[in-house]
Amino acid sequence: MLRGLGHEVSFATPDGARAHADPLMLSGEGLDPWGWIPALAKITLAGRFLRANQEGRDAYRAMREDRSFQQPMRWDAVTIDDFDGLLLPGGHRADGMREYLESPVLQSLVVQCFRAGKPVGAICHGVLLVARSIDPATSRSVLFGRKTTALTWRLERAAARLGRLVRFWDPTYYRTYPDPRGQPAGYMSVQQDVTRALEQPSDFIDVAPDAPHRWRKTSGAHRDTLSDWTPAWVVRDGRYISARWPGDAHRFAVEFASLLR
């Protein structure tokens, strides 16, 4: 989408190898109660609704043909002087997700971007990477004193509950970090993990109870488009912009592009 808005996009991975999306979220195979049976896995019912929508799958196919995507940079080769901004995507418990969220290299890059005043955009779990980026000058997260949103516990909990039903043999598929024993439900959710890095809990901005189109924004059943932003929820604080999940992606991309301009 950023290419369509006139921007050049580069990709980066841990070792410079080509990345790939979680195949379950593309095909939906394995997201039904019989998904663990090889002979039945290709039969998708719930999987058709849980997987990426058609527009998302089409966008992924187009991205795979992009030369920059096919030949990504290494994380440790990225320097902020070569770029106008940094965009941090999300995900959940797919291979490599914890490596991404816990990378000292990426956390340092985030700190450098905030110090330089360059636009930073983060969506879904990408916000967790930002929250974990500690500025050595303050010993605090770069989000301390800022407003943000991220994948909410409401959305994450709904996905986790559904996941326990349709993928019962892998009940934590939708939880990147399961809650430790003895901690309340949601302790390691994205929302609570991010909130612990903020100056005050109220700096995590969720959809207000009286917000227009609240049901479309919070139900998890609606996704925005370029022509309809009513399901989207995006929070901007200076040159930092955050969003919750793929249902916010169109508005998130357009507003991030506006920061680049």
Side-chain angles (χ1 to χ4, degrees), residues 16-250:
R18 180 174 168 175
H20 61 85
D22 180 358
L24 273 67
M25 295 307 298
L26 291 171
S27 68
E29 297 173 12
L31 295 178
D32 284 283
W34 51 84
W36 61 280
I37 306 173
L40 300 178
K42 290 187 177 297
I43 302 174
T44 56
L45 291 179
R48 290 180 177 271
F49 298 96
L50 295 174
R51 68 184 182 183
N53 62 13
Q54 186 64 55
E55 184 180 4
R57 299 197 303 276
D58 290 344
Y60 178 68
R61 280 192 290 269
M63 185 174 66
R64 289 181 61 188
E65 301 303 316
D66 185 279
R67 178 173 295 182
S68 295
F69 184 77
Q70 294 175 353
Q71 300 175 354
M73 304 175 64
R74 292 173 57 99
W75 284 347
D76 58 11
V78 178
T79 57
I80 64 167
D81 291 340
D82 294 332
F83 296 95
D84 296 322
L86 177 67
L87 193 152
L88 301 166
H92 50 272
R93 208 206 61 189
D95 291 343
M97 199 63 201
R98 289 195 181 188
E99 179 183 11
Y100 167 69
L101 297 174
E102 298 168 7
S103 167
V105 173
L106 292 182
Q107 292 171 10
S108 175
L109 189 65
V110 171
V111 172
Q112 292 174 53
C113 283
F114 271 84
R115 285 181 173 179
K118 295 199 172 187
V120 175
I123 185 169
C124 194
H125 280 63
V127 180
L128 186 51
L129 170 57
V130 181
R132 292 177 173 180
S133 299
I134 307 301
D135 188 337
T138 63
S139 299
R140 290 172 170 168
S141 167
V142 294
L143 291 186
F144 191 87
R146 291 182 179 269
K147 309 293 185 183
T148 191
T149 193
L151 178 66
T152 62
W153 175 227
R154 175 190 176 110
L155 289 171
E156 188 173 354
R157 179 176 54 193
R161 287 175 173 172
L162 184 58
R164 284 196 293 270
L165 293 175
V166 300
R167 197 172 166 82
F168 61 88
W169 68 96
D170 183 19
T172 62
Y173 173 69
Y174 284 108
R175 293 295 306 277
T176 306
Y177 293 97
D179 297 323
R181 183 170 298 179
Q183 294 292 350
Y187 180 81
M188 288 303 296
S189 66
V190 173
Q191 178 174 349
Q192 293 195 33
D193 204 336
V194 168
T195 298
R196 287 192 287 272
L198 305 179
E199 183 175 14
Q200 51 194 5
S202 59
D203 287 340
F204 187 99
I205 310 299
D206 198 359
V207 181
D210 58 348
H213 310 290
R214 174 176 166 78
W215 170 248
R216 289 178 61 79
K217 294 180 186 300
T218 60
S219 68
H222 303 279
R223 300 187 180 205
D224 75 344
T225 66
L226 280 176
S227 59
D228 180 13
W229 286 4
T230 56
W233 182 251
V234 172
V235 172
R236 177 174 171 177
D237 187 325
R239 297 178 69 75
Y240 165 67
I241 188 166
S242 56
R244 304 166 302 167
W245 74 303
D248 305 328
H250 291 83

